[in-house]
Amino acid sequence: MMYKYILCDLDNTILDFKQGEETAIKHVFESEGITFNEDLYARYHDINIGLWRELEAGKVDKRHVLTHRFEAFFKTLNIDVDGAEKEQIFRTHINNSHDLVEGARDFLDYLMAEGYIICSATNGVFYTQMKRMKDAGILDYFSHHFISEEIGFEKPHHQFFKHCIEKLGVTDVSEVLMIGDTYSSDIIGANQFGIDSCYYGSKTVDATYCIAHLDEIKHIL
């Protein structure tokens, strides 16, 4: 299969979101005198993931996710908070997180050297994602930045991928490969649109390809 365009997820595919998120969550917890621990982090994570799944399904909007997740979490501790204030604390710290996933720069160097048109394709806040890419020194690897807040649709929504294809002027979707770590948004979204997909993670899922390490992309592309 000869691909020309690579749609590449960012969080936990290129940028190490998990590490930045943990630091930001610690500051949110501390703002209410709560000591961070893995059990509480897991509780927050479950609430957050549930809300993002609702967003992907079109049941809620992003503003609801970004504020309600903190209100819902602290409510489990019988603490009432202003979700928007907690989101601002979180956003301040996550905006400054830009560590790369292991092997990400070599991965991008390889794709660029091979002549692929690389595009970021991410669910997230536009300013946050652009700042993190710039701070990580990877902004210029991408010819286009497809960020859900600016597009108005989240992966896996059909309109997200339709926007990408139209902006790129693609006439044959067999030339496009979506790479990402989240099955529910990256892989299902691509599959439903008819785009080949590459799942990056430790599981085997219903994707065109599955890789456990980024350097395995050399066996595909």
Side-chain angles (χ1 to χ4, degrees):
M1 183 66 70
M2 191 63 180
Y3 299 109
K4 181 178 179 181
Y5 305 94
I6 306 298
L7 298 179
C8 191
D9 175 55
L10 289 179
D11 288 331
N12 296 324
T13 300
I14 299 298
L15 293 167
D16 190 342
F17 181 79
K18 184 177 180 182
Q19 182 176 11
E21 179 190 47
E22 186 170 313
T23 298
I25 289 299
K26 284 180 180 178
H27 286 280
V28 175
F29 285 10
E30 289 169 1
S31 72
E32 290 294 330
I34 303 299
T35 301
F36 179 93
N37 64 55
E38 290 300 326
D39 288 341
L40 288 179
Y41 182 49
R43 185 187 303 183
Y44 161 79
H45 189 262
D46 287 345
I47 291 169
N48 185 50
I49 288 295
L51 286 166
W52 278 98
R53 294 290 177 266
E54 289 186 23
L55 177 65
E56 290 168 4
K59 295 178 180 178
V60 298
D61 62 22
K62 182 170 289 177
R63 189 174 187 281
H64 175 81
V65 175
L66 299 182
T67 57
H68 187 68
R69 57 185 177 177
F70 295 115
E71 293 172 357
F73 167 76
F74 281 108
K75 195 171 288 293
T76 69
L77 301 173
N78 297 314
I79 300 172
D80 291 325
V81 301
D82 183 327
E85 289 182 1
K86 299 308 177 188
E87 167 60 19
Q88 187 56 52
I89 296 171
F90 177 84
R91 190 63 42 195
T92 296
H93 292 282
I94 203 69
N95 283 354
N96 292 322
S97 70
H98 55 267
D99 290 331
L100 294 173
V101 169
E102 182 180 355
R105 192 175 296 279
D106 288 342
F107 168 81
L108 292 171
D109 282 336
Y110 174 78
L111 294 180
M112 178 169 278
E114 292 295 308
Y116 292 102
I117 297 171
I118 317 168
C119 311
S120 64
T122 175
N123 285 351
V125 175
F126 183 81
Y127 174 81
T128 296
Q129 300 299 62
M130 293 298 288
K131 182 179 188 299
R132 292 170 68 224
M133 283 187 283
K134 182 179 180 181
D135 291 347
I138 62 170
L139 199 63
D140 292 339
Y141 282 98
F142 304 99
S143 66
H144 295 74
H145 297 286
F146 300 124
I147 302 175
S148 62
E149 183 181 64
E150 187 176 51
I151 294 172
F153 295 94
E154 311 284 329
K155 294 176 293 181
H157 200 288
H158 183 87
Q159 291 293 332
F160 180 96
F161 291 93
K162 183 173 184 285
H163 175 90
C164 298
I165 295 304
E166 289 181 348
K167 285 293 183 181
L168 290 170
V170 173
T171 56
D172 183 355
V173 295
S174 71
E175 295 181 331
V176 183
L177 179 68
M178 174 75 215
I179 302 175
D181 73 302
T182 305
Y183 178 69
S184 63
S185 55
D186 300 319
I187 307 307
I188 288 180
N191 290 352
Q192 291 178 343
F193 197 84
I195 294 172
D196 281 1
S197 58
C198 178
Y199 173 74
Y200 166 51
S202 57
K203 299 181 293 185
T204 299
V205 302
D206 181 23
T208 314
Y209 313 98
C210 292
I211 59 174
H213 304 283
L214 289 176
D215 61 2
E216 292 175 35
I217 201 68
K218 296 175 184 178
H219 303 310
I220 299 169
L221 301 174

